[in-house]
Amino acid sequence: MGRDAHGGVLVAGGGIGGLSAALALARAGRRVTVLERSSELREFGAGIQLGPNAFHALHSIGIDQAALDQAIYVDRLRLMNAMTAEEVTALDLGAAFRARFGYPYAVIHRGDLYRVLIDACSMHQSIAIRTNAEVVRFEQNGSDVEVVLASGERVAGIALIGADGIWSGIRRQMLGDAPPRVPGHTTFRSVIPIEEMPEAFRWNDATLWAGDKCHIVHYPLSGYRLFNFAITAHNDATEAVSGEPVDAGEIGATFEHVHDTVKQIIRHGRDWKRWVLCDRDPTHHWVEGRVALLGDAAHPTLQYLAQGACMAIEDGVSLGDAFGFFEDDVDSALLVYRDLRVSRTAQIVLKSRAMGEHVYHPHGPRASLRDAILRSKSDSELYEDLAWLYDGGQESKRYFDPSATPNIEQTEVVSA
Ligand SMILES: Cc1cc2nc3c(=O)[nH]c(=O)nc-3n(C[C@H](O)[C@H](O)[C@H](O)COP(=O)(O)OP(=O)(O)OC[C@H]3O[C@@H](n4cnc5c(N)ncnc54)[C@H](O)[C@@H]3O)c2cc1C
């Protein structure tokens, strides 16, 4: 059988990870079929933070500028103490940050980022995206993979990428491991028209109020037309939930203990929805024969470093680089992709947990210690603390072409 027999590479799941992978594979010369179970391609309507590493990855798949055009470049990463309303630190994200990391720190509506990915995929004749295509299982014989859809249809390819999210059925069939861990944290989300937020609080910052067993994040969104809240409580929730409506009374009671200023801000949110957060311990079992996991299916993480989607995009880029390098040797491409990505994503999963415990949710003396440590650091010291995160993710570029300079040249960016 020739290269890209049958449907080329199959990607189960058309989320941010699946579409990034499709784009990277197509740019590496592969034919790709994305199988998405939903009847339409759309993302949940809330904000997402993207660090410079995400833009380096988006650059590799040709859509950094399109994403930047939809994003807001926030001025600071601002940490406030939610119990006292005092500022702890405000990291400058302006010219010095952009020069250091090559891209801005930005916030973007998930739907806008998703639209950029769909538009780019639709310009590639070698990418087919099918909706109403739920993958229920796979079979493989060493050189080909076949998936069975809920309709009974079979689709064949040379490899299958399981980009089917945190509840991945591909992972379940491959590993048979336990369901994701529920560490007892709940995030409530709300997006409001920006006019509903008093001007005094419309900061052009990614603001995080860290309080006793809770934190509150807010930032402007979508060309300053919207204002985004993601507020989290370590409330010992035991059951995974996704997007369930919540009444304002529960929000008030859950955040009753924070400073009045913070309560005043939260009060402007409405139509709240709840996510009970999950993650998994890292594993290197991402590949079985011609099947590999990617994004949340491989390494679901708590969002405390705001990196889950950034990691899914980076995964896609590494996968495309590996397929480009190994050409017909699909087995090696999948194994090297895994080897390039496991330790970076494991670091994200474990450090996200630590961020929650030591930076976002401590109380009493541990919170005072956090404030003292962060206050003692200059911006340039904090930049270097973040360098592993924002300079990272380009392992595949270095691996496949050691002579190449990673993509850290200064990009032409304008203030949004
Ligand atoms: C509250 C919260 C805030 C977050 N904030 C950030 C942030 O600021 N920055 C950041 O980088 N990340 C953030 N994340 C993480 C980010 O949302 C995820 O890591 C990212 O969306 C994962 O993308 P994915 O494509 O791997 O999975 P998903 O987005 O879950 O996509 C999986 C896709 O597969 C489809 N699917 C599922 N099963 C099947 C099947 N059997 N057959 C076919 N299709 C299937 C689904 O319909 C879906 O379209 C946050 C997460 C949460 C919960």
Side-chain angles (χ1 to χ4, degrees):
M1 248 171 293
R3 186 177 176 188
D4 284 8
H6 310 300
V9 179
L10 306 178
V11 176
I16 290 170
L19 295 189
S20 300
L23 207 46
L25 288 163
R27 288 169 65 94
R30 316 310 299 216
R31 284 198 298 122
V32 187
T33 302
V34 179
L35 301 163
E36 166 56 47
R37 75 172 166 198
S38 307
S39 56
E40 55 175 331
L41 295 171
R42 71 189 178 100
E43 261 287 340
F44 175 73
I48 195 168
Q49 303 179 52
L50 296 178
N53 59 309
F55 290 106
H56 286 295
L58 292 168
H59 173 87
S60 297
I61 49 176
I63 54 171
D64 53 333
Q65 195 55 55
L68 286 165
D69 289 346
Q70 300 296 323
I72 287 181
Y73 308 164
V74 279
D75 295 330
R76 285 170 295 259
L77 272 177
R78 196 172 193 184
L79 184 75
M80 307 290 292
N81 184 314
M83 311 312 289
T84 63
E86 289 166 332
E87 184 176 282
V88 178
T89 187
L91 181 68
D92 185 359
L93 300 174
F97 180 91
R98 293 176 200 176
R100 170 64 187 80
F101 294 111
Y103 278 101
Y105 193 95
V107 294
I108 187 167
H109 194 285
R110 298 174 75 96
D112 293 338
L113 174 62
Y114 196 58
R115 173 53 50 200
V116 167
L117 282 161
I118 291 174
D119 288 350
C121 285
S122 61
M123 286 195 290
H124 268 276
Q125 288 189 335
S126 49
I127 301 177
I129 304 181
R130 292 183 52 183
T131 50
N132 290 313
E134 181 178 356
V135 175
V136 290
R137 67 188 162 84
F138 65 83
E139 293 167 11
Q140 57 177 326
N141 63 13
S143 60
D144 291 300
V145 188
E146 222 173 41
V147 296
V148 181
L149 304 185
S151 62
E153 185 190 350
R154 288 172 169 266
V155 186
I158 53 163
L160 167 65
I161 309 305
D164 49 345
I166 193 163
W167 301 102
S168 169
I170 306 286
R171 179 182 178 121
R172 201 177 324 114
Q173 182 178 343
M174 189 194 279
L175 299 182
D177 55 356
R181 198 181 69 105
V182 184
H185 303 200
T186 303
T187 293
F188 306 90
R189 283 162 152 171
S190 166
V191 178
I192 58 170
I194 204 159
E195 315 79 74
E196 294 182 15
M197 175 53 61
E199 258 181 73
F201 295 123
R202 289 184 208 166
W203 305 335
N204 188 37
D205 299 330
T207 306
L208 189 147
W209 301 79
D212 295 0
K213 292 189 83 177
C214 74
H215 73 274
I216 291 95
V217 171
H218 56 75
Y219 46 81
L221 206 55
S222 294
Y224 301 97
R225 291 187 301 280
L226 301 174
F227 198 83
N228 184 75
F229 295 98
I231 69 176
T232 301
H234 186 168
N235 61 355
D236 302 320
T238 53
E239 210 177 304
V241 167
S242 189
E244 180 183 84
V246 180
D247 70 60
E250 183 178 334
I251 301 292
T254 305
F255 295 89
E256 178 58 36
H257 61 300
V258 299
H259 193 276
D260 275 350
T261 307
V262 190
K263 286 195 265 194
Q264 218 182 313
I265 293 174
I266 296 173
R267 214 168 283 140
H268 294 281
R270 58 179 160 84
D271 303 327
W272 292 96
K273 295 203 172 63
R274 172 203 330 263
W275 275 256
V276 173
L277 307 176
C278 304
D279 71 359
R280 284 183 180 279
D281 288 334
T283 175
H284 68 277
H285 295 296
W286 295 14
V287 175
E288 183 187 281
R290 291 295 180 93
V291 185
L293 302 175
L294 179 144
D296 275 7
H299 44 73
T301 183
L302 302 180
Q303 84 273 25
Y304 299 156
L305 282 169
Q307 282 288 325
C310 301
M311 288 302 112
I313 299 166
E314 286 186 8
D315 286 352
V317 170
S318 290
L319 185 74
D321 286 345
F323 268 84
F325 184 82
F326 286 105
E327 299 193 340
D328 292 336
D329 184 358
V330 174
D331 299 299
S332 296
L334 294 178
L335 291 172
V336 169
Y337 150 72
R338 177 201 62 191
D339 290 349
L340 288 169
R341 296 298 302 156
V342 163
S343 52
R344 174 152 172 88
T345 53
Q347 213 178 354
I348 297 287
V349 170
L350 299 177
K351 286 190 173 167
S352 294
R353 288 180 189 170
M355 283 290 283
E357 192 180 341
H358 300 301
V359 178
Y360 289 15
H361 295 165
H363 60 278
R366 291 173 64 230
S368 308
L369 178 62
R370 170 204 61 206
D371 292 359
I373 292 172
L374 286 171
R375 281 195 177 116
S376 74
K377 294 206 177 224
S378 66
D379 277 357
S380 50
E381 285 170 323
L382 288 169
Y383 292 169
E384 293 322 304
D385 288 349
L386 291 167
W388 70 274
L389 179 55
Y390 298 146
D391 284 343
Q394 300 185 56
E395 296 79 10
S396 60
K397 299 276 174 289
R398 295 188 184 96
Y399 181 87
F400 295 120
D401 183 3
S403 66
T405 314
N407 162 38
I408 51 170
E409 77 270 13
Q410 178 67 42
T411 304
E412 189 66 30
V413 286
V414 287
S415 257

